Amino acid sequence: MGRVTTLVEGGRIVTATDDYVADILIEGGRIRAIGDLAGTEADEIIDASGHVVFPGGIDPHTHLDTPVAGTVISDDFDTGTRAAAVGGTTTIIDFAIQEKGADPRSSLMRWHEMAEGKAAVDYAFHQIITHLPDSLLPSLDGLVTEGVTSFKLFMAYPNVWMLDDGAIFKAMRRTAENGGFIMLHCENGYAIDALVKESLARGDSDPIFHARTRPSLAEDEATRRGIALAEMAGVPLYIVHMSSAGSARAMAEARERGVRAYAETCPHYLLLTDDRLAEPGFRGAQYVCSPPLRPADHHEPLWNGLAAGDLQAVGTDHAPFFFEQRLVGKDDFTKIPNGLPGIEWRVGLLYHYGVAQGRFSLNRFVEITSTNAAKLFGLHPRKGEIAPGSDADLVVFDPAGSTELSLATQVTNCDYNPYEGMVLQGAISAVLLRGRAIVRDGRYVASRPVGSFVRSAESAALSSSTLVS
Ligand code: URP
Ligand code: ZN
Ligand code: ZN
């Protein structure tokens, strides 16, 4: 039997740079031709007339099946990637965590084992480095060779995940030589720890004090310090889950003077406020994440940063837990496992609040939900693109439809939906992963998981300061 062919007919194709109506011929999982292909024979025809066809979303920040604070994130590579698929995301980049004292490459093996044969969408990995004596610096080179080219370092959580500035600087210098790319969690861990101790000593132990002890200035300071370290090391930098107006301002200033700094924010920092942490009955615990949710006046600066190119990507930092898992922190907010779900709703929320509400164009929407992540994490043009030769990872989107977000219908494995009751403009009609329709009419339809590991090449940030904006 020859290679399976699919024709996606008559859709409005939108990429980061283009917007036109055409047919897409897919063969063997890749895009073979784009144009007026009427009459071309194919094994399957998908009618996309009246629909927008854009590259499958790339979520550059997920945590699946991960041990955290004595429990495990409630979505594994099965449920979490099915949730991604129905939400229009065809590639995730998940974080492998280095076990303290171990070589990061052995920890990475665990993530390969957890994902293999289970994932509904394609996946790549970042490696979290929690411990970096000089003897482990060569391991970073080894990771690059294995197709894991981005390393997340923490400026927060002293004695748990934090690296000191010296280790961060050394890791940065190493990536200048080995083609890797540093990602930073920017919060001042020592200042936060002091505030936390004071808070607990006063008896202020409810979830809201998680937010009060992690002020936005603690993030702004670390963001500026991280940018300065990267400038000193002469390397590009990616800042994860940016939540504050001051950090967005720091990004604008850094990029203005030509620093290769890139940043991601998350839907919850654009749409939810710290009031959620004060919800009664300990429900506020469901909104504990770090950095914390901020007051509403941080939202518009982040949206503006995305529109203006000061921030380049939106990831979810997907880290769901059941209410019961949070109860361990009933008398002490520091014990509540951190994180929010989001993998399923990112693309829809960004379309509704970004495009439909006039904050940015459809092209920019594609750039920040897909193409920029592909470029920054060495997956482009295989991913994040609609062009001959690219993987046929496509979303067929009905802009006239609508989607209600609700616990009752979600695929995400947890017992609440932070966006409960929101009705979004637009609906996902179909999602193709390497040419196979894995979602139809908004429902996951694949009979078996077909996602596979994608090796990351060098980040585009290493070769050009203008390629990603
Ligand atoms: O609260 C969060 N962000 N949990 C996930 C871990 C991290 O820092 O990304
Ligand atoms: Zn983080
Ligand atoms: Zn995270």
Side-chain angles (χ1 to χ4, degrees), residues 61 63 95 152 241 317:
H61 194 144
H63 301 276
F95 286 84
K152 180 180 174 186
H241 49 49
D317 199 3

Side-chain angles (χ1 to χ4, degrees), residues 51 54 84-89 344 347-348 394-399 401-403 426-431 439-443:
H51 288 66
F54 50 80
V86 298
T89 290
E344 190 169 344
V347 171
L394 302 173
V395 175
V396 181
F397 186 79
D398 177 6
S402 69
T403 307
I428 289 170
S429 299
V431 176
V439 173
R440 287 182 197 274
D441 297 324
R443 279 198 303 281

Side-chain angles (χ1 to χ4, degrees), residues 19-90:
D19 188 339
Y20 57 102
V21 174
D23 309 315
I24 302 173
L25 180 65
I26 300 165
E27 184 178 355
R30 296 205 170 189
I31 295 173
R32 183 166 151 205
I34 303 175
D36 181 357
L37 305 171
T40 305
E41 284 195 10
D43 300 311
E44 188 186 9
I45 307 276
I46 294 177
D47 178 8
S49 52
H51 288 66
V52 180
V53 180
F54 50 80
I58 299 176
D59 188 339
H61 194 144
T62 69
H63 301 276
L64 299 178
D65 215 358
T66 306
V68 180
T71 185
V72 178
I73 280 170
S74 59
D75 262 323
D76 62 9
F77 277 84
D78 168 26
T79 57
T81 57
R82 280 193 280 120
V86 298
T89 290
T90 50

Side-chain angles (χ1 to χ4, degrees), residues 237-459:
L237 168 72
Y238 181 90
I239 297 174
V240 295
H241 49 49
M242 185 167 283
S243 74
S244 70
S247 293
R249 208 160 39 242
M251 283 298 296
E253 288 168 19
R255 290 178 63 84
E256 180 67 30
R257 52 173 205 278
V259 179
R260 287 173 295 164
Y262 304 89
E264 131 205 306
T265 186
C266 311
H268 45 279
Y269 298 127
L270 294 164
L271 296 166
L272 307 180
T273 59
D274 55 352
D275 299 344
R276 298 278 182 123
L277 284 97
E279 284 190 4
F282 196 60
R283 292 281 158 189
Q286 292 174 312
Y287 297 94
V288 166
C289 59
S290 298
L293 299 180
R294 306 283 184 202
D297 55 348
H298 290 268
H299 293 178
E300 234 31 64
L302 294 170
W303 281 114
N304 292 340
L306 284 171
D310 301 328
L311 278 70
Q312 293 71 34
V314 179
T316 58
D317 199 3
H318 183 73
F321 299 96
F322 281 80
F323 183 64
E324 205 179 276
Q325 293 176 281
R326 313 256 190 185
L327 280 173
V328 62
K330 189 97 183 66
D331 302 316
D332 175 352
F333 66 85
T334 66
K335 297 200 165 68
I336 301 169
N338 285 205
L340 256 66
I343 205 167
E344 190 169 344
W345 312 299
R346 181 186 67 117
V347 171
L349 289 167
L350 266 287
Y351 179 84
H352 180 87
Y353 289 100
V355 180
Q357 295 199 349
R359 287 187 168 97
F360 42 69
S361 68
L362 255 177
N363 299 110
R364 184 65 181 157
F365 159 80
V366 170
E367 213 162 27
I368 63 179
T369 57
S370 180
T371 312
N372 276 352
K375 288 180 176 176
L376 286 166
F377 298 111
L379 305 173
H380 191 262
R382 179 172 171 194
K383 303 290 187 188
E385 194 56 87
I386 300 181
S390 295
D391 280 359
D393 297 348
L394 302 173
V395 175
V396 181
F397 186 79
D398 177 6
S402 69
T403 307
E404 181 168 354
L405 305 187
S406 162
L407 172 63
T409 52
Q410 76 188 27
V411 177
T412 299
N413 183 40
C414 79
D415 52 0
Y416 71 113
N417 184 323
Y419 308 99
E420 185 70 39
M422 283 185 183
V423 179
L424 305 181
Q425 193 173 319
I428 289 170
S429 299
V431 176
L432 278 67
L433 177 70
R434 282 178 278 106
R436 292 176 202 229
I438 57 171
V439 173
R440 287 182 197 274
D441 297 324
R443 279 198 303 281
Y444 182 71
V445 293
S447 53
R448 64 184 175 85
V450 289
S452 59
F453 174 63
V454 198
R455 295 171 63 87
S456 291
E458 197 172 281
S459 169

